[in-house]
Structure formats: structure tokens, C-alpha cells
Amino acid sequence: MPLLTILIGAALVVTGAVAYFVSDTGSLTALIPAAVGLLLVIAGLIARNPKLRKHAIHGALAISLLGALGSLMNVAQLGDLFAGTAERPGAIISSTIMLVLLVALITAGVRSFIAARRSRQTPAVTG
């Protein structure tokens, strides 16, 4: 999970940076994916410490959930993008990328937590 968190965070930093430099307005809101990504990279780096892993990944997943929920407003306008009537197509595209990446991280994190819990609950086999 730490490596996946770092990789997804880095992808979001790149997404935000590209959105910022490609947008005509140079709006700081284009950097929101980069800010979320930076927080994820930091959490992923902290999670490399085995003593802090659980807390850091929980924090990364909380950030991911908030980021995914925040991106829904723009993703809801995906139909306008396909129709060619979107006012801010770059924001819709970067928000959609952010949503997909964050949902993937949340899914992997939940699966990891379930697997960890199952491995703790499995009784030791004695021969």
C-alpha cells in the first residue's frame, strides 16, 4: 500500500500540474489534484515506517475519500464535456482522472484492510 499510495499521489501531482499549465486562466483550483497528490505522497512515505503504516494509510484513505467526494461536482458535468458544451473541460477531465485514481486507491486500501483482518483472525495451524 505505501508504494501504491506514493504512485497515485505522484500521478495526481502530475495531473494537477498539467491542468494548471494547460488551462488558459491559470486558476489555482487546477492545482487541487496536485495538492491531494502531495498529501498522498507524504502519507505514503510515512507509511514506509512499519510502526506508522496503519495510521498513515488510514490518513491517506481519508484524504482520498474527501478528494473523491470533492471531485464529484465536476465529474457530474461529464455529459456536457461529451456534448461539447462544457464551460471548463480541463477541470472536468482532471477531476475525472482524480476520481478514478482515488477510487482505485480506496478500493485497494479497503481490500488490504480486509486481508489484514482475515490474516489476524485465522487461527494458527498446529501439527
Side-chain angles (χ1 to χ4, degrees), residues 35 46-47 72:
I46 292 170
L72 287 177

Side-chain angles (χ1 to χ4, degrees), residues 31-84:
L31 291 173
I32 290 173
V36 171
L38 182 61
L39 292 173
L40 291 178
V41 168
I42 291 168
L45 291 172
I46 292 170
R48 295 178 76 187
N49 180 338
K51 292 180 180 180
L52 301 175
R53 180 168 294 145
K54 180 179 172 182
H55 300 297
I57 296 300
H58 275 91
L61 293 181
I63 292 164
S64 298
L65 181 60
L66 291 174
L69 291 173
S71 69
L72 287 177
M73 184 177 69
N74 284 333
V75 174
Q77 299 172 12
L78 205 52
D80 294 341
L81 179 70
F82 290 125

Side-chain angles (χ1 to χ4, degrees), residues 76-97:
Q77 299 172 12
L78 205 52
D80 294 341
L81 179 70
F82 290 125
T85 59
E87 289 182 29
R88 301 175 310 139
I92 297 170
I93 292 168
S94 66
S95 292
T96 303
I97 292 169

